PDB file of all heavy atoms in Angstrom:
ATOM      1  N   PHE A 993      52.749  -9.575 -81.571  1.00  0.00           N
ATOM      2  CA  PHE A 993      53.173  -8.213 -81.905  1.00  0.00           C
ATOM      3  C   PHE A 993      52.317  -7.193 -81.157  1.00  0.00           C
ATOM      4  O   PHE A 993      51.132  -7.399 -80.916  1.00  0.00           O
ATOM      5  CB  PHE A 993      53.134  -7.947 -83.417  1.00  0.00           C
ATOM      6  CG  PHE A 993      51.754  -8.002 -84.040  1.00  0.00           C
ATOM      7  CD1 PHE A 993      50.920  -6.885 -84.038  1.00  0.00           C
ATOM      8  CD2 PHE A 993      51.295  -9.162 -84.654  1.00  0.00           C
ATOM      9  CE1 PHE A 993      49.671  -6.919 -84.623  1.00  0.00           C
ATOM     10  CE2 PHE A 993      50.039  -9.214 -85.240  1.00  0.00           C
ATOM     11  CZ  PHE A 993      49.223  -8.092 -85.219  1.00  0.00           C
ATOM     12  N   PHE A 994      52.968  -6.125 -80.763  1.00  0.00           N
ATOM     13  CA  PHE A 994      52.330  -4.999 -80.082  1.00  0.00           C
ATOM     14  C   PHE A 994      53.066  -3.758 -80.563  1.00  0.00           C
ATOM     15  O   PHE A 994      54.164  -3.459 -80.104  1.00  0.00           O
ATOM     16  CB  PHE A 994      52.447  -5.146 -78.560  1.00  0.00           C
ATOM     17  CG  PHE A 994      51.679  -4.114 -77.781  1.00  0.00           C
ATOM     18  CD1 PHE A 994      50.371  -4.331 -77.402  1.00  0.00           C
ATOM     19  CD2 PHE A 994      52.274  -2.910 -77.430  1.00  0.00           C
ATOM     20  CE1 PHE A 994      49.661  -3.387 -76.668  1.00  0.00           C
ATOM     21  CE2 PHE A 994      51.575  -1.956 -76.714  1.00  0.00           C
ATOM     22  CZ  PHE A 994      50.264  -2.199 -76.335  1.00  0.00           C
ATOM     23  N   ILE A 995      52.492  -3.070 -81.518  1.00  0.00           N
ATOM     24  CA  ILE A 995      53.169  -1.947 -82.176  1.00  0.00           C
ATOM     25  C   ILE A 995      52.410  -0.654 -81.875  1.00  0.00           C
ATOM     26  O   ILE A 995      51.181  -0.592 -82.031  1.00  0.00           O
ATOM     27  CB  ILE A 995      53.255  -2.170 -83.700  1.00  0.00           C
ATOM     28  CG1 ILE A 995      53.896  -3.531 -84.002  1.00  0.00           C
ATOM     29  CG2 ILE A 995      54.053  -1.057 -84.365  1.00  0.00           C
ATOM     30  CD1 ILE A 995      53.887  -3.908 -85.478  1.00  0.00           C
ATOM     31  N   THR A 996      53.136   0.361 -81.436  1.00  0.00           N
ATOM     32  CA  THR A 996      52.496   1.626 -81.051  1.00  0.00           C
ATOM     33  C   THR A 996      53.134   2.814 -81.758  1.00  0.00           C
ATOM     34  O   THR A 996      54.266   2.746 -82.231  1.00  0.00           O
ATOM     35  CB  THR A 996      52.589   1.858 -79.530  1.00  0.00           C
ATOM     36  OG1 THR A 996      53.979   1.960 -79.151  1.00  0.00           O
ATOM     37  CG2 THR A 996      51.939   0.729 -78.759  1.00  0.00           C
ATOM     38  N   ALA A 997      52.385   3.889 -81.802  1.00  0.00           N
ATOM     39  CA  ALA A 997      52.883   5.190 -82.284  1.00  0.00           C
ATOM     40  C   ALA A 997      52.385   6.248 -81.307  1.00  0.00           C
ATOM     41  O   ALA A 997      51.201   6.250 -80.939  1.00  0.00           O
ATOM     42  CB  ALA A 997      52.381   5.473 -83.690  1.00  0.00           C
ATOM     43  N   ILE A 998      53.282   7.120 -80.885  1.00  0.00           N
ATOM     44  CA  ILE A 998      52.924   8.154 -79.900  1.00  0.00           C
ATOM     45  C   ILE A 998      53.355   9.513 -80.431  1.00  0.00           C
ATOM     46  O   ILE A 998      54.498   9.685 -80.879  1.00  0.00           O
ATOM     47  CB  ILE A 998      53.601   7.888 -78.545  1.00  0.00           C
ATOM     48  CG1 ILE A 998      53.205   6.504 -78.002  1.00  0.00           C
ATOM     49  CG2 ILE A 998      53.225   8.963 -77.536  1.00  0.00           C
ATOM     50  CD1 ILE A 998      53.946   6.110 -76.739  1.00  0.00           C
ATOM     51  N   ASP A 999      52.456  10.480 -80.393  1.00  0.00           N
ATOM     52  CA  ASP A 999      52.790  11.850 -80.753  1.00  0.00           C
ATOM     53  C   ASP A 999      51.882  12.797 -79.973  1.00  0.00           C
ATOM     54  O   ASP A 999      51.159  12.376 -79.064  1.00  0.00           O
ATOM     55  CB  ASP A 999      52.681  12.072 -82.272  1.00  0.00           C
ATOM     56  CG  ASP A 999      51.269  11.834 -82.799  1.00  0.00           C
ATOM     57  OD1 ASP A 999      50.355  11.566 -81.988  1.00  0.00           O
ATOM     58  OD2 ASP A 999      51.068  11.907 -84.027  1.00  0.00           O
ATOM     59  N   THR A1000      51.918  14.062 -80.314  1.00  0.00           N
ATOM     60  CA  THR A1000      51.102  15.077 -79.645  1.00  0.00           C
ATOM     61  C   THR A1000      50.308  15.842 -80.701  1.00  0.00           C
ATOM     62  O   THR A1000      50.872  16.248 -81.723  1.00  0.00           O
ATOM     63  CB  THR A1000      51.980  16.059 -78.847  1.00  0.00           C
ATOM     64  OG1 THR A1000      52.757  15.315 -77.897  1.00  0.00           O
ATOM     65  CG2 THR A1000      51.121  17.070 -78.094  1.00  0.00           C
ATOM     66  N   VAL A1001      49.019  16.034 -80.448  1.00  0.00           N
ATOM     67  CA  VAL A1001      48.152  16.714 -81.414  1.00  0.00           C
ATOM     68  C   VAL A1001      47.305  17.765 -80.706  1.00  0.00           C
ATOM     69  O   VAL A1001      47.110  17.713 -79.489  1.00  0.00           O
ATOM     70  CB  VAL A1001      47.224  15.711 -82.141  1.00  0.00           C
ATOM     71  CG1 VAL A1001      48.031  14.739 -82.975  1.00  0.00           C
ATOM     72  CG2 VAL A1001      46.354  14.949 -81.147  1.00  0.00           C
ATOM     73  N   LYS A1002      46.792  18.710 -81.500  1.00  0.00           N
ATOM     74  CA  LYS A1002      45.903  19.727 -80.952  1.00  0.00           C
ATOM     75  C   LYS A1002      44.532  19.118 -80.654  1.00  0.00           C
ATOM     76  O   LYS A1002      44.023  18.305 -81.419  1.00  0.00           O
ATOM     77  CB  LYS A1002      45.723  20.872 -81.953  1.00  0.00           C
ATOM     78  CG  LYS A1002      46.921  21.778 -82.099  1.00  0.00           C
ATOM     79  CD  LYS A1002      46.584  22.932 -83.046  1.00  0.00           C
ATOM     80  CE  LYS A1002      47.767  23.879 -83.201  1.00  0.00           C
ATOM     81  NZ  LYS A1002      47.440  25.010 -84.112  1.00  0.00           N
ATOM     82  N   VAL A1003      43.949  19.538 -79.548  1.00  0.00           N
ATOM     83  CA  VAL A1003      42.630  19.043 -79.173  1.00  0.00           C
ATOM     84  C   VAL A1003      41.595  19.435 -80.228  1.00  0.00           C
ATOM     85  O   VAL A1003      40.716  18.638 -80.571  1.00  0.00           O
ATOM     86  CB  VAL A1003      42.214  19.589 -77.787  1.00  0.00           C
ATOM     87  CG1 VAL A1003      40.759  19.234 -77.467  1.00  0.00           C
ATOM     88  CG2 VAL A1003      43.122  19.040 -76.706  1.00  0.00           C
ATOM     89  N   GLU A1004      41.728  20.625 -80.778  1.00  0.00           N
ATOM     90  CA  GLU A1004      40.753  21.089 -81.762  1.00  0.00           C
ATOM     91  C   GLU A1004      40.801  20.282 -83.060  1.00  0.00           C
ATOM     92  O   GLU A1004      39.863  20.327 -83.857  1.00  0.00           O
ATOM     93  CB  GLU A1004      40.991  22.571 -82.069  1.00  0.00           C
ATOM     94  CG  GLU A1004      42.320  22.854 -82.732  1.00  0.00           C
ATOM     95  CD  GLU A1004      42.569  24.338 -82.951  1.00  0.00           C
ATOM     96  OE1 GLU A1004      42.041  25.149 -82.178  1.00  0.00           O
ATOM     97  OE2 GLU A1004      43.294  24.673 -83.903  1.00  0.00           O
ATOM     98  N   GLU A1005      41.872  19.516 -83.262  1.00  0.00           N
ATOM     99  CA  GLU A1005      42.002  18.711 -84.480  1.00  0.00           C
ATOM    100  C   GLU A1005      41.435  17.302 -84.321  1.00  0.00           C
ATOM    101  O   GLU A1005      41.265  16.589 -85.321  1.00  0.00           O
ATOM    102  CB  GLU A1005      43.476  18.586 -84.884  1.00  0.00           C
ATOM    103  CG  GLU A1005      44.130  19.864 -85.332  1.00  0.00           C
ATOM    104  CD  GLU A1005      45.578  19.658 -85.725  1.00  0.00           C
ATOM    105  OE1 GLU A1005      46.238  18.751 -85.177  1.00  0.00           O
ATOM    106  OE2 GLU A1005      46.061  20.403 -86.594  1.00  0.00           O
ATOM    107  N   LEU A1006      41.156  16.891 -83.091  1.00  0.00           N
ATOM    108  CA  LEU A1006      40.859  15.484 -82.835  1.00  0.00           C
ATOM    109  C   LEU A1006      39.692  14.952 -83.653  1.00  0.00           C
ATOM    110  O   LEU A1006      39.766  13.857 -84.211  1.00  0.00           O
ATOM    111  CB  LEU A1006      40.587  15.271 -81.337  1.00  0.00           C
ATOM    112  CG  LEU A1006      41.805  15.436 -80.425  1.00  0.00           C
ATOM    113  CD1 LEU A1006      41.438  15.139 -78.981  1.00  0.00           C
ATOM    114  CD2 LEU A1006      42.937  14.532 -80.874  1.00  0.00           C
ATOM    115  N   GLU A1007      38.606  15.689 -83.715  1.00  0.00           N
ATOM    116  CA  GLU A1007      37.436  15.194 -84.450  1.00  0.00           C
ATOM    117  C   GLU A1007      37.742  14.996 -85.926  1.00  0.00           C
ATOM    118  O   GLU A1007      37.237  14.057 -86.556  1.00  0.00           O
ATOM    119  CB  GLU A1007      36.256  16.152 -84.272  1.00  0.00           C
ATOM    120  CG  GLU A1007      35.655  16.110 -82.870  1.00  0.00           C
ATOM    121  CD  GLU A1007      34.339  16.858 -82.783  1.00  0.00           C
ATOM    122  OE1 GLU A1007      33.836  17.276 -83.846  1.00  0.00           O
ATOM    123  OE2 GLU A1007      33.835  17.034 -81.671  1.00  0.00           O
ATOM    124  N   SER A1008      38.573  15.861 -86.494  1.00  0.00           N
ATOM    125  CA  SER A1008      38.914  15.728 -87.915  1.00  0.00           C
ATOM    126  C   SER A1008      39.921  14.600 -88.145  1.00  0.00           C
ATOM    127  O   SER A1008      40.048  14.099 -89.263  1.00  0.00           O
ATOM    128  CB  SER A1008      39.487  17.046 -88.450  1.00  0.00           C
ATOM    129  OG  SER A1008      40.708  17.374 -87.806  1.00  0.00           O
ATOM    130  N   LEU A1009      40.639  14.192 -87.096  1.00  0.00           N
ATOM    131  CA  LEU A1009      41.615  13.113 -87.231  1.00  0.00           C
ATOM    132  C   LEU A1009      40.954  11.745 -87.120  1.00  0.00           C
ATOM    133  O   LEU A1009      41.527  10.736 -87.551  1.00  0.00           O
ATOM    134  CB  LEU A1009      42.700  13.238 -86.147  1.00  0.00           C
ATOM    135  CG  LEU A1009      43.558  14.505 -86.187  1.00  0.00           C
ATOM    136  CD1 LEU A1009      44.558  14.498 -85.044  1.00  0.00           C
ATOM    137  CD2 LEU A1009      44.275  14.643 -87.525  1.00  0.00           C
TER     138      LEU A1009
END
Side-chain angles (χ1 to χ4, degrees):
F993 64 85
F994 187 90
I995 307 174
T996 62
I998 302 174
D999 61 4
T1000 303
V1001 296
K1002 287 184 179 181
V1003 172
E1004 65 183 28
E1005 293 181 331
L1006 291 183
E1007 288 191 8
S1008 64
L1009 298 179

